[in-house]
Amino acid sequence: MKVEINGTAHDLADEATVTDALAAIEAPEKGIAVAVDGQVVRRADWASTRLAAGAAVEVLTAVQGG
Amino acid sequence: MKVEINGTAHDLADEATVTDALAAIEAPEKGIAVAVDGQVVRRADWASTRLAAGAAVEVLTAVQGG
Amino acid sequence: MKVEINGTAHDLADEATVTDALAAIEAPEKGIAVAVDGQVVRRADWASTRLAAGAAVEVLTAVQGG
Amino acid sequence: MKVEINGTAHDLADEATVTDALAAIEAPEKGIAVAVDGQVVRRADWASTRLAAGAAVEVLTAVQGG
Amino acid sequence: MDVSQDETLVVGGRKIGSRLITGTGGAANLEVLERALVASGTTLTTVAMRRIDAQTGTGVLDLLRRLGIEILPNTAGCRTAAEAVLTARLAREALETDLVKLEVVADERTLLPDPIELLDAAEQLVDDGFTVLPYTNDDPVLARKLEQAGCAAVMPLGSPIGTGLGIRNPHNIEMIVAQAGVPVVLDAGIGTASEAAQAMELGCDAVLLATAVTRAADPERMAHAMRLAVEAGYAARHAGRIPRRYWAQASSPEIDGPRFD
Amino acid sequence: MDVSQDETLVVGGRKIGSRLITGTGGAANLEVLERALVASGTTLTTVAMRRIDAQTGTGVLDLLRRLGIEILPNTAGCRTAAEAVLTARLAREALETDLVKLEVVADERTLLPDPIELLDAAEQLVDDGFTVLPYTNDDPVLARKLEQAGCAAVMPLGSPIGTGLGIRNPHNIEMIVAQAGVPVVLDAGIGTASEAAQAMELGCDAVLLATAVTRAADPERMAHAMRLAVEAGYAARHAGRIPRRYWAQASSPEIDGPRFD
Amino acid sequence: MDVSQDETLVVGGRKIGSRLITGTGGAANLEVLERALVASGTTLTTVAMRRIDAQTGTGVLDLLRRLGIEILPNTAGCRTAAEAVLTARLAREALETDLVKLEVVADERTLLPDPIELLDAAEQLVDDGFTVLPYTNDDPVLARKLEQAGCAAVMPLGSPIGTGLGIRNPHNIEMIVAQAGVPVVLDAGIGTASEAAQAMELGCDAVLLATAVTRAADPERMAHAMRLAVEAGYAARHAGRIPRRYWAQASSPEIDGPRFD
Amino acid sequence: MDVSQDETLVVGGRKIGSRLITGTGGAANLEVLERALVASGTTLTTVAMRRIDAQTGTGVLDLLRRLGIEILPNTAGCRTAAEAVLTARLAREALETDLVKLEVVADERTLLPDPIELLDAAEQLVDDGFTVLPYTNDDPVLARKLEQAGCAAVMPLGSPIGTGLGIRNPHNIEMIVAQAGVPVVLDAGIGTASEAAQAMELGCDAVLLATAVTRAADPERMAHAMRLAVEAGYAARHAGRIPRRYWAQASSPEIDGPRFD
């Protein structure tokens, strides 16, 4: 199925979870956070949170700023 | 009955209207406005607006300010 | 003889006076002042003041300024 | 004879020198300078400099300031 | 709003004859006030709404009507949107005008506007058909929100009411002017004439002041000074001032000076 | 010198009708200059002395005489006392006036006065019977020495000539005013109207400016602005401004407001 | 909040070792940033939250952790309370901290805070258990509302972000300090060291800056300058400065000077 | 003189270890003075010359020698060149130094330098072999004349002695720095640390102050503050500050923010 990760379309397995989405973009283990369709998904729930087709996944980290 | 006009207790007839209250304090004809219990009473309605016992009547005018 | 008027060489008669120098540059009657070799020559003395050869004559007037 | 030291009259021997004047006010050895009648007297000349009657001797040192 | 050519000030569709708007508070008595108002040349003047009593009566109204000065009721003393809205409605009843100088202050010590209550009240009064002139702080963002809420002008302070500290942050006033689509009126803090002129030079469309005139040693003369200063600042703004230079520039021709050697 | 009541400015025994003294330098042409001078209301205006030539002729003199404006020759461009004294004497010859705006500048980049040469020239010219108006820096000590030398006024700068930086050190100007026994004229640095008003509020007796008007986008309008500003500042000075306060003071009565509970 | 004696700054129960809080934005690269952070002596530094990508990775986090500097995530770029709240929650997830520098700006040109959205976001984040440090304008009323909403500090601007215009309205900063019961951090606008010192002299408890250091010609040296300036201003505040006087006061004894006649 | 790279200050061939030069006047007693001098890190300190008496003795000299601080005698209290020259010569005799802080003041109320007497005294003392550090006003022309007369530094005031009014005319100080070929020392007027930092940012090579420290509530702490401030301002000057901007500039990356729709 198609999901959007940080604004880019990705093709994931139909059962894909947040963990799968992070793997797809080779996100690092630590220092990141995830929102799916505008809701925060706690780290503890990444493995168990299924993505719906067309889901918008945001993967953020800290950068220089402020 | 007792009503409060600009913070002072007054004794008015039981049927008293806003017009009666204005008479009680010898308010001028023009340049004033009236609120009863926190609601504006339009000039047109003064004569027909009955006051309840214990009503709080505010009679305002313009003074030097600002 | 040669005299310098406002920085320009002029050829005047040997007996030339300040008045002759002014005539040579067609200076106006009023609103001017004259210095010869760094000394003011009063208007009253223009006609009687002889110039020496090589004299430096300055003829000034008022211009926009300040 | 009478001399004035720092504004105060003192009675010194007629042959008195700057050194005698300094002794009269128990001035310290170091950190001072002397003027007699408005002229500096070099340290080297204190012993040999005779005071005239009525001389004005100023003995200065450094104090907190500036 | 920077009026690029000289034209009459228009606020909420009304032409305002003078760019000096005055207040009436602080005057020793009505005689002093009358002389000051006349000297100021103002055509729009604020009044406050208070409980009527025998003494005051309606003297200030009679004076303003006699002088042909339009009345601008304020909501001075209100601390919440609800109080301000009710006071504005009573003023409209009493004075038959939809003009209101909206004041919602947060505390007595600073008399600074409460931005939340102010914006709330402005929205309610605009909906209710008022021509709203809000007294605001010098925050360009709040000024823009007030304009977007439909206010007929924005009236940022120079410094807190009655302090006479002048314009503490000209940069903010300039930013407000740069973005405003409605007239900008410098309201509060002016202490002397040069500050009123400066407000206009910064691009304000008018100045509103009271204390600086009414509590001056000679209110009539100060009113005259303020009138001249507002005109001076407005004219200077539109005359196009010279640029600031770091080093000097001669105003007398440097060439062809006399040589005396 | 703080004129405690409103009276005509008197400099060296001459009554000066307007407290705005103007210069003529920098104007694009005589037509522009004429409109600006008229708009300024000035009654005393500076000119510089230069070698005569065919083009210039004596146009500016004819203009000033036609407008009935008194002429104040300056010694612009002089760098030594000797040059300034000679230039002043030539000006007296040419213009039949003993008035002189004494300028002795130290360098072209700052055009700041040379305090030593200036004082020397002032002493010589006073001895020679001139009515000396020295352009000086904002040093209160030099101002006092110039007064003691017999100058008819002192004319401290606000900032360097032509910079439009306004009054960089109001504290110095106030100190000069506090001690002066002759008129104090703020000369040089003014860029816009509020600064001219400020000069008068600081206690100056007049303002002298040229560039701010002649090089403005609209010299006539700026001249008018300056005229109003000088009047405004003078009136404000004498009207007695309110004291500055740290915290606010209400201009509407705080007691007896309505209660809406 | 005026800390009357010298003590460690405490924000939301956390001790903050240095009163200079820095940002990381604008640094040419991580090497430059590291040298600047070390020179600044800071113990608390902001980061922004952005979409991860291959290049950036988590370099700045690794650097801050290696230097033992506590991380203060901000909500830069958010325009609404909703965006800011979500960004803060993501930051808490990613960085395992409940600290947040709350920024809700109104537009790109001024980057000034939106007072309405800011207060809304502050209330939500406090309810959600965050330690909220809001970037606010210099309005004393909004600062008080943010404190009343439960913010752990208030962080008023000196002037708009990145302008280097310093503290445009010291009077407002003083009023904020006078009423604050939580630490006041001067945030934004600082351009040079003297302005950081001034912020502390006005009574601020700390200074937050980024651009002034990271975009200086020599960031490491400017970071050192800012460190010294914050310490200098804090010490001066608590050393009790001399009063300002209009006239001079000799620092050398005036009596008993020598007489040379 | 703008020292383009970081190097030790050299005045008249002498290396001066600290850019903070202090005075000793106004201290409650020698113990307080000692703590303040140590905290300031100064290596050069002024003293005044007065008639000796039993009480005072030579305590301050003993203190400075014990602390290894070089002595800079001043001519405080002198009103004429003759007095100042004689006082300088007596100081040289008493203290065995050719250094002198030359002060020739015009009156007690302002303690401003007399430009004429000052320059005259400077010329005489330079001829007599002194290393002359003149206390001058902020006139760039007088500063240049003093340098041309052979002074080893120029020491313009920020504001009158003891006023704590800071630097009233930064533009003049910048112009003095721009033209100076000898060190520029900001002398007099400093009230608090940020002003000392500002002096260095304007390009001064050192700061001289007394009252701000000795009359502070806590002289030792203020001395420490001034030491840090001078270092901070010097470092900031040489670190290359960011340009001032009218509008904001984000310090967080604007691109690639999260999208939450």
Side-chain angles (χ1 to χ4, degrees), chain H residues 50-75:
Chain H
R50 291 294 182 268
R51 287 171 167 176
I52 193 160
D53 67 30
Q55 297 93 285
T56 42
T58 58
V60 69
L61 288 183
D62 304 337
L63 172 60
L64 294 175
R65 295 203 163 111
R66 178 157 52 78
L67 297 178
I69 296 174
E70 185 160 17
I71 293 166
L72 175 59
N74 70 29
T75 61

PDB file of all heavy atoms in Angstrom, chain H residues 50-75:
ATOM      1  N   ARG H  50      47.834  66.328  46.733  1.00  0.00           N
ATOM      2  CA  ARG H  50      47.271  67.261  47.709  1.00  0.00           C
ATOM      3  C   ARG H  50      48.315  67.567  48.777  1.00  0.00           C
ATOM      4  O   ARG H  50      49.296  66.824  48.922  1.00  0.00           O
ATOM      5  CB  ARG H  50      46.015  66.650  48.361  1.00  0.00           C
ATOM      6  CG  ARG H  50      44.818  66.529  47.418  1.00  0.00           C
ATOM      7  CD  ARG H  50      44.290  67.894  47.000  1.00  0.00           C
ATOM      8  NE  ARG H  50      43.116  67.792  46.135  1.00  0.00           N
ATOM      9  CZ  ARG H  50      43.154  67.761  44.797  1.00  0.00           C
ATOM     10  NH1 ARG H  50      44.328  67.806  44.182  1.00  0.00           N
ATOM     11  NH2 ARG H  50      42.053  67.689  44.094  1.00  0.00           N
ATOM     12  N   ARG H  51      48.081  68.633  49.539  1.00  0.00           N
ATOM     13  CA  ARG H  51      48.963  68.961  50.666  1.00  0.00           C
ATOM     14  C   ARG H  51      49.006  67.781  51.636  1.00  0.00           C
ATOM     15  O   ARG H  51      47.972  67.185  51.930  1.00  0.00           O
ATOM     16  CB  ARG H  51      48.432  70.173  51.408  1.00  0.00           C
ATOM     17  CG  ARG H  51      48.623  71.479  50.663  1.00  0.00           C
ATOM     18  CD  ARG H  51      47.873  72.583  51.365  1.00  0.00           C
ATOM     19  NE  ARG H  51      48.279  73.893  50.855  1.00  0.00           N
ATOM     20  CZ  ARG H  51      47.706  75.027  51.263  1.00  0.00           C
ATOM     21  NH1 ARG H  51      46.718  75.015  52.150  1.00  0.00           N
ATOM     22  NH2 ARG H  51      48.111  76.172  50.775  1.00  0.00           N
ATOM     23  N   ILE H  52      50.163  67.442  52.056  1.00  0.00           N
ATOM     24  CA  ILE H  52      50.304  66.322  52.991  1.00  0.00           C
ATOM     25  C   ILE H  52      49.746  66.739  54.345  1.00  0.00           C
ATOM     26  O   ILE H  52      49.804  67.909  54.732  1.00  0.00           O
ATOM     27  CB  ILE H  52      51.775  65.897  53.115  1.00  0.00           C
ATOM     28  CG1 ILE H  52      51.857  64.561  53.833  1.00  0.00           C
ATOM     29  CG2 ILE H  52      52.612  66.969  53.815  1.00  0.00           C
ATOM     30  CD1 ILE H  52      53.165  63.850  53.581  1.00  0.00           C
ATOM     31  N   ASP H  53      49.164  65.787  55.051  1.00  0.00           N
ATOM     32  CA  ASP H  53      48.845  66.054  56.453  1.00  0.00           C
ATOM     33  C   ASP H  53      49.003  64.758  57.239  1.00  0.00           C
ATOM     34  O   ASP H  53      49.167  63.675  56.668  1.00  0.00           O
ATOM     35  CB  ASP H  53      47.451  66.660  56.630  1.00  0.00           C
ATOM     36  CG  ASP H  53      46.343  65.688  56.274  1.00  0.00           C
ATOM     37  OD1 ASP H  53      46.533  64.470  56.446  1.00  0.00           O
ATOM     38  OD2 ASP H  53      45.297  66.150  55.805  1.00  0.00           O
ATOM     39  N   ALA H  54      48.959  64.896  58.572  1.00  0.00           N
ATOM     40  CA  ALA H  54      49.256  63.761  59.458  1.00  0.00           C
ATOM     41  C   ALA H  54      48.363  62.564  59.104  1.00  0.00           C
ATOM     42  O   ALA H  54      48.862  61.467  58.800  1.00  0.00           O
ATOM     43  CB  ALA H  54      49.025  64.174  60.906  1.00  0.00           C
ATOM     44  N   GLN H  55      47.057  62.776  59.072  1.00  0.00           N
ATOM     45  CA  GLN H  55      46.137  61.649  58.871  1.00  0.00           C
ATOM     46  C   GLN H  55      46.478  60.865  57.598  1.00  0.00           C
ATOM     47  O   GLN H  55      46.966  59.746  57.651  1.00  0.00           O
ATOM     48  CB  GLN H  55      44.677  62.132  58.768  1.00  0.00           C
ATOM     49  CG  GLN H  55      44.173  62.793  60.039  1.00  0.00           C
ATOM     50  CD  GLN H  55      44.382  64.315  59.973  1.00  0.00           C
ATOM     51  OE1 GLN H  55      45.519  64.810  60.119  1.00  0.00           O
ATOM     52  NE2 GLN H  55      43.307  65.032  59.692  1.00  0.00           N
ATOM     53  N   THR H  56      46.259  61.513  56.459  1.00  0.00           N
ATOM     54  CA  THR H  56      46.391  60.780  55.206  1.00  0.00           C
ATOM     55  C   THR H  56      47.725  60.079  55.108  1.00  0.00           C
ATOM     56  O   THR H  56      47.784  58.877  54.858  1.00  0.00           O
ATOM     57  CB  THR H  56      46.270  61.746  53.999  1.00  0.00           C
ATOM     58  OG1 THR H  56      47.022  62.920  54.323  1.00  0.00           O
ATOM     59  CG2 THR H  56      44.830  62.096  53.708  1.00  0.00           C
ATOM     60  N   GLY H  57      48.785  60.811  55.310  1.00  0.00           N
ATOM     61  CA  GLY H  57      50.087  60.205  55.088  1.00  0.00           C
ATOM     62  C   GLY H  57      50.167  59.723  53.657  1.00  0.00           C
ATOM     63  O   GLY H  57      49.605  60.339  52.749  1.00  0.00           O
ATOM     64  N   THR H  58      50.811  58.603  53.412  1.00  0.00           N
ATOM     65  CA  THR H  58      51.020  58.137  52.039  1.00  0.00           C
ATOM     66  C   THR H  58      50.394  56.759  51.858  1.00  0.00           C
ATOM     67  O   THR H  58      50.918  55.902  51.142  1.00  0.00           O
ATOM     68  CB  THR H  58      52.529  58.077  51.733  1.00  0.00           C
ATOM     69  OG1 THR H  58      53.129  57.197  52.691  1.00  0.00           O
ATOM     70  CG2 THR H  58      53.161  59.443  51.847  1.00  0.00           C
ATOM     71  N   GLY H  59      49.254  56.539  52.530  1.00  0.00           N
ATOM     72  CA  GLY H  59      48.614  55.215  52.527  1.00  0.00           C
ATOM     73  C   GLY H  59      48.299  54.682  51.150  1.00  0.00           C
ATOM     74  O   GLY H  59      48.580  53.515  50.849  1.00  0.00           O
ATOM     75  N   VAL H  60      47.753  55.530  50.282  1.00  0.00           N
ATOM     76  CA  VAL H  60      47.328  55.025  48.981  1.00  0.00           C
ATOM     77  C   VAL H  60      48.526  54.605  48.144  1.00  0.00           C
ATOM     78  O   VAL H  60      48.504  53.602  47.428  1.00  0.00           O
ATOM     79  CB  VAL H  60      46.443  56.065  48.260  1.00  0.00           C
ATOM     80  CG1 VAL H  60      47.243  57.286  47.847  1.00  0.00           C
ATOM     81  CG2 VAL H  60      45.760  55.443  47.052  1.00  0.00           C
ATOM     82  N   LEU H  61      49.622  55.329  48.298  1.00  0.00           N
ATOM     83  CA  LEU H  61      50.846  54.944  47.572  1.00  0.00           C
ATOM     84  C   LEU H  61      51.342  53.586  48.035  1.00  0.00           C
ATOM     85  O   LEU H  61      51.688  52.725  47.231  1.00  0.00           O
ATOM     86  CB  LEU H  61      51.942  55.975  47.802  1.00  0.00           C
ATOM     87  CG  LEU H  61      51.785  57.323  47.128  1.00  0.00           C
ATOM     88  CD1 LEU H  61      53.010  58.177  47.428  1.00  0.00           C
ATOM     89  CD2 LEU H  61      51.616  57.132  45.639  1.00  0.00           C
ATOM     90  N   ASP H  62      51.359  53.425  49.349  1.00  0.00           N
ATOM     91  CA  ASP H  62      51.839  52.151  49.882  1.00  0.00           C
ATOM     92  C   ASP H  62      50.975  51.016  49.353  1.00  0.00           C
ATOM     93  O   ASP H  62      51.477  49.968  48.941  1.00  0.00           O
ATOM     94  CB  ASP H  62      51.802  52.189  51.415  1.00  0.00           C
ATOM     95  CG  ASP H  62      52.609  53.371  51.966  1.00  0.00           C
ATOM     96  OD1 ASP H  62      53.512  53.854  51.248  1.00  0.00           O
ATOM     97  OD2 ASP H  62      52.310  53.824  53.076  1.00  0.00           O
ATOM     98  N   LEU H  63      49.676  51.243  49.328  1.00  0.00           N
ATOM     99  CA  LEU H  63      48.749  50.212  48.841  1.00  0.00           C
ATOM    100  C   LEU H  63      49.039  49.862  47.388  1.00  0.00           C
ATOM    101  O   LEU H  63      49.216  48.689  47.039  1.00  0.00           O
ATOM    102  CB  LEU H  63      47.301  50.707  48.986  1.00  0.00           C
ATOM    103  CG  LEU H  63      46.226  49.827  48.335  1.00  0.00           C
ATOM    104  CD1 LEU H  63      46.244  48.427  48.939  1.00  0.00           C
ATOM    105  CD2 LEU H  63      44.851  50.454  48.482  1.00  0.00           C
ATOM    106  N   LEU H  64      49.143  50.886  46.538  1.00  0.00           N
ATOM    107  CA  LEU H  64      49.353  50.623  45.111  1.00  0.00           C
ATOM    108  C   LEU H  64      50.671  49.908  44.889  1.00  0.00           C
ATOM    109  O   LEU H  64      50.773  48.970  44.092  1.00  0.00           O
ATOM    110  CB  LEU H  64      49.292  51.927  44.315  1.00  0.00           C
ATOM    111  CG  LEU H  64      47.922  52.609  44.299  1.00  0.00           C
ATOM    112  CD1 LEU H  64      47.995  53.950  43.577  1.00  0.00           C
ATOM    113  CD2 LEU H  64      46.877  51.710  43.647  1.00  0.00           C
ATOM    114  N   ARG H  65      51.688  50.299  45.628  1.00  0.00           N
ATOM    115  CA  ARG H  65      52.994  49.651  45.452  1.00  0.00           C
ATOM    116  C   ARG H  65      52.910  48.196  45.893  1.00  0.00           C
ATOM    117  O   ARG H  65      53.408  47.292  45.221  1.00  0.00           O
ATOM    118  CB  ARG H  65      54.070  50.425  46.197  1.00  0.00           C
ATOM    119  CG  ARG H  65      54.266  51.821  45.587  1.00  0.00           C
ATOM    120  CD  ARG H  65      55.627  52.436  45.876  1.00  0.00           C
ATOM    121  NE  ARG H  65      55.877  53.555  44.944  1.00  0.00           N
ATOM    122  CZ  ARG H  65      55.928  54.847  45.306  1.00  0.00           C
ATOM    123  NH1 ARG H  65      55.753  55.200  46.575  1.00  0.00           N
ATOM    124  NH2 ARG H  65      56.156  55.781  44.399  1.00  0.00           N
ATOM    125  N   ARG H  66      52.211  47.972  47.007  1.00  0.00           N
ATOM    126  CA  ARG H  66      52.080  46.597  47.497  1.00  0.00           C
ATOM    127  C   ARG H  66      51.339  45.720  46.475  1.00  0.00           C
ATOM    128  O   ARG H  66      51.685  44.556  46.282  1.00  0.00           O
ATOM    129  CB  ARG H  66      51.350  46.594  48.845  1.00  0.00           C
ATOM    130  CG  ARG H  66      51.115  45.217  49.429  1.00  0.00           C
ATOM    131  CD  ARG H  66      50.926  45.271  50.940  1.00  0.00           C
ATOM    132  NE  ARG H  66      49.903  46.244  51.338  1.00  0.00           N
ATOM    133  CZ  ARG H  66      48.585  46.004  51.249  1.00  0.00           C
ATOM    134  NH1 ARG H  66      48.143  44.872  50.768  1.00  0.00           N
ATOM    135  NH2 ARG H  66      47.731  46.927  51.638  1.00  0.00           N
ATOM    136  N   LEU H  67      50.370  46.321  45.804  1.00  0.00           N
ATOM    137  CA  LEU H  67      49.589  45.559  44.818  1.00  0.00           C
ATOM    138  C   LEU H  67      50.285  45.505  43.462  1.00  0.00           C
ATOM    139  O   LEU H  67      49.791  44.855  42.532  1.00  0.00           O
ATOM    140  CB  LEU H  67      48.196  46.181  44.665  1.00  0.00           C
ATOM    141  CG  LEU H  67      47.303  46.166  45.912  1.00  0.00           C
ATOM    142  CD1 LEU H  67      45.978  46.867  45.630  1.00  0.00           C
ATOM    143  CD2 LEU H  67      47.061  44.733  46.377  1.00  0.00           C
ATOM    144  N   GLY H  68      51.414  46.196  43.336  1.00  0.00           N
ATOM    145  CA  GLY H  68      52.140  46.175  42.068  1.00  0.00           C
ATOM    146  C   GLY H  68      51.396  46.902  40.960  1.00  0.00           C
ATOM    147  O   GLY H  68      51.522  46.561  39.781  1.00  0.00           O
ATOM    148  N   ILE H  69      50.609  47.900  41.333  1.00  0.00           N
ATOM    149  CA  ILE H  69      49.843  48.676  40.354  1.00  0.00           C
ATOM    150  C   ILE H  69      50.598  49.961  40.032  1.00  0.00           C
ATOM    151  O   ILE H  69      51.027  50.681  40.945  1.00  0.00           O
ATOM    152  CB  ILE H  69      48.447  49.014  40.918  1.00  0.00           C
ATOM    153  CG1 ILE H  69      47.649  47.728  41.139  1.00  0.00           C
ATOM    154  CG2 ILE H  69      47.710  49.982  40.009  1.00  0.00           C
ATOM    155  CD1 ILE H  69      46.317  47.927  41.830  1.00  0.00           C
ATOM    156  N   GLU H  70      50.780  50.239  38.741  1.00  0.00           N
ATOM    157  CA  GLU H  70      51.487  51.454  38.346  1.00  0.00           C
ATOM    158  C   GLU H  70      50.635  52.680  38.678  1.00  0.00           C
ATOM    159  O   GLU H  70      49.411  52.650  38.580  1.00  0.00           O
ATOM    160  CB  GLU H  70      51.809  51.423  36.847  1.00  0.00           C
ATOM    161  CG  GLU H  70      52.650  52.605  36.401  1.00  0.00           C
ATOM    162  CD  GLU H  70      53.362  52.353  35.083  1.00  0.00           C
ATOM    163  OE1 GLU H  70      52.973  51.424  34.352  1.00  0.00           O
ATOM    164  OE2 GLU H  70      54.322  53.093  34.797  1.00  0.00           O
ATOM    165  N   ILE H  71      51.317  53.752  39.075  1.00  0.00           N
ATOM    166  CA  ILE H  71      50.641  54.960  39.535  1.00  0.00           C
ATOM    167  C   ILE H  71      50.511  55.967  38.402  1.00  0.00           C
ATOM    168  O   ILE H  71      51.471  56.208  37.665  1.00  0.00           O
ATOM    169  CB  ILE H  71      51.415  55.571  40.721  1.00  0.00           C
ATOM    170  CG1 ILE H  71      51.333  54.624  41.923  1.00  0.00           C
ATOM    171  CG2 ILE H  71      50.865  56.955  41.079  1.00  0.00           C
ATOM    172  CD1 ILE H  71      52.318  54.945  43.030  1.00  0.00           C
ATOM    173  N   LEU H  72      49.314  56.502  38.256  1.00  0.00           N
ATOM    174  CA  LEU H  72      49.033  57.532  37.252  1.00  0.00           C
ATOM    175  C   LEU H  72      48.559  58.784  37.981  1.00  0.00           C
ATOM    176  O   LEU H  72      47.383  58.917  38.289  1.00  0.00           O
ATOM    177  CB  LEU H  72      47.963  57.037  36.272  1.00  0.00           C
ATOM    178  CG  LEU H  72      47.454  58.026  35.223  1.00  0.00           C
ATOM    179  CD1 LEU H  72      48.586  58.528  34.340  1.00  0.00           C
ATOM    180  CD2 LEU H  72      46.357  57.380  34.371  1.00  0.00           C
ATOM    181  N   PRO H  73      49.469  59.711  38.287  1.00  0.00           N
ATOM    182  CA  PRO H  73      49.039  60.920  38.987  1.00  0.00           C
ATOM    183  C   PRO H  73      48.177  61.792  38.080  1.00  0.00           C
ATOM    184  O   PRO H  73      48.408  61.848  36.874  1.00  0.00           O
ATOM    185  CB  PRO H  73      50.362  61.620  39.319  1.00  0.00           C
ATOM    186  CG  PRO H  73      51.355  61.064  38.376  1.00  0.00           C
ATOM    187  CD  PRO H  73      50.911  59.678  38.024  1.00  0.00           C
ATOM    188  N   ASN H  74      47.176  62.432  38.659  1.00  0.00           N
ATOM    189  CA  ASN H  74      46.361  63.354  37.864  1.00  0.00           C
ATOM    190  C   ASN H  74      46.577  64.787  38.332  1.00  0.00           C
ATOM    191  O   ASN H  74      47.268  65.031  39.321  1.00  0.00           O
ATOM    192  CB  ASN H  74      44.882  62.965  37.914  1.00  0.00           C
ATOM    193  CG  ASN H  74      44.255  63.206  39.277  1.00  0.00           C
ATOM    194  OD1 ASN H  74      44.651  64.086  40.029  1.00  0.00           O
ATOM    195  ND2 ASN H  74      43.254  62.400  39.603  1.00  0.00           N
ATOM    196  N   THR H  75      46.003  65.705  37.577  1.00  0.00           N
ATOM    197  CA  THR H  75      46.094  67.121  37.956  1.00  0.00           C
ATOM    198  C   THR H  75      44.706  67.642  38.346  1.00  0.00           C
ATOM    199  O   THR H  75      44.357  68.785  38.058  1.00  0.00           O
ATOM    200  CB  THR H  75      46.680  67.956  36.802  1.00  0.00           C
ATOM    201  OG1 THR H  75      45.806  67.837  35.677  1.00  0.00           O
ATOM    202  CG2 THR H  75      48.072  67.470  36.418  1.00  0.00           C
TER     203      THR H  75
END
